[in-house]
Structure formats: C-alpha cells, structure tokens
Amino acid sequence: MLVLGSDHGGYELKTAILEMLQEKAVECTDLGTNSSASVDYPDFAAKVASAVSSGEAQLGILICGTGIGMSISANKFSGVRAALVHDEFTAQMAREHNNANILVMGGRVLTPEKGKKLVEVWLAAEFAGGRHQQRLDKISAIEQKVIKD
Ligand code: RB5
C-alpha cells in the first residue's frame, strides 16, 4: 500500500502522479490536500509519515513546493527514510542505497512528466542490501539513541 500527500505547492504534481498510479493499478490512498488552497505542509507530512512509520502503508510519496519542508517533517518519524529527489539518478539511488520508504519531490521544481518518471524509477528500483543495510542499521541505531536520550 502506498500513501500520497502534498500541500498546495505539490497539489498539481500529486494529482498527475495519482492518475498515473491508478492507471497502473497500484494500490494507493490519497491523504490530501485536495485543492490548491494554502495549507501547512507538516500536517500532510505527518499523515503520510505516520502511516509509513506504523506499517499501515509500506511506501509514501510527499510533495510540496520544493520538497524541502516535507522531507524535514517526514524524517522526524521513527523508521521513516524520506528522500528528496530531483532526477532519475537520485530517484534510483534513493531506493538502491537508502531504501527510502518515502519519495519526496518539489512540485515547483519538476514538471508533471518528470515527476511521474521519477516515481516510476523509484518504484522499479530494488534495495541493494549488503553494505547499504549496514549503513541503514547505523541510522536506526542513531534513532534509538536519540529516542532514549
Ligand atoms: C509553500 O509556499 C512552500 O513553502 C512549501 O510548499 C514548501 O516548498 C516548503 O518546503
């Protein structure tokens, strides 16, 4: 299950991506926003990131104007690896090396066509494991330490 969220700055791109995912019959849920009226991006980052953090969803997509606010917010949630990507290389690496469970993009940075392509690349890529798993384990250890401290 994949969940999507955006603020007003990402609404147009989210709509284009949702249409593409529905055409491809990918199981997904749109958690808003539902118009181009101004909203606060942390509210939608929290909806998507908490669904991924709890295991209710396996993957998420978040879009704001630049992607920056969404990535800062989503990475506060335990177990979330939210990656802000701008091109096909970073979209592929986000999965292969970082096993990113949330893809973040900027709706004011990418055209809808480019954004859709990055989603396709991220979904098709596979986590490489090995030394990259070791690094993700270190991120988890940092997360555990921060929570305890
Ligand atoms: C909203 O104007 C804008 O600040 C937001 O979409 C995002 O770019 C924040 O990082």
Side-chain angles (χ1 to χ4, degrees):
M1 225 277 270
L2 188 154
V3 285
L4 297 98
S6 78
D7 72 354
H8 52 290
Y11 175 66
E12 188 186 342
L13 179 53
K14 176 170 65 68
T15 303
I17 289 169
L18 189 61
E19 279 173 16
M20 179 191 78
L21 293 174
Q22 285 167 344
E23 276 166 22
K24 290 177 183 288
V26 174
E27 192 193 345
C28 56
T29 303
D30 180 9
L31 300 180
T33 188
N34 300 317
S35 78
S36 52
S38 183
V39 290
D40 296 331
Y41 61 79
D43 296 337
F44 295 90
K47 286 175 195 271
V48 167
S50 63
V52 171
S53 181
S54 69
E56 188 188 327
Q58 283 68 55
L59 297 173
I61 294 174
L62 280 168
I63 309 166
C64 60
T66 60
I68 296 170
M70 286 298 197
S71 51
I72 292 171
S73 308
N75 279 312
K76 303 292 181 196
F77 285 75
S78 172
V80 164
R81 293 178 300 279
L84 173 56
V85 302
H86 295 293
D87 51 31
E88 291 175 42
F89 177 70
T90 51
Q92 179 140 357
M93 289 301 106
R95 196 67 175 282
E96 277 187 26
H97 285 194
N98 310 108
N99 204 14
N101 47 17
I102 298 185
L103 188 75
V104 188
M105 293 176 289
R108 294 174 181 156
V109 179
L110 302 170
T111 62
E113 286 314 307
K114 187 74 187 248
K116 287 193 283 186
K117 181 69 191 166
L118 301 192
V119 171
E120 285 180 333
V121 168
W122 175 64
L123 288 177
E126 285 182 21
F127 179 49
R131 67 185 189 280
H132 302 293
Q133 182 59 56
Q134 183 182 313
R135 292 160 187 166
L136 298 192
D137 291 343
K138 290 191 177 191
I139 295 174
S140 300
I142 292 168
E143 200 172 66
Q144 291 307 313
K145 187 172 175 347
V146 170
I147 289 166
K148 273 196 222 131
D149 292 352

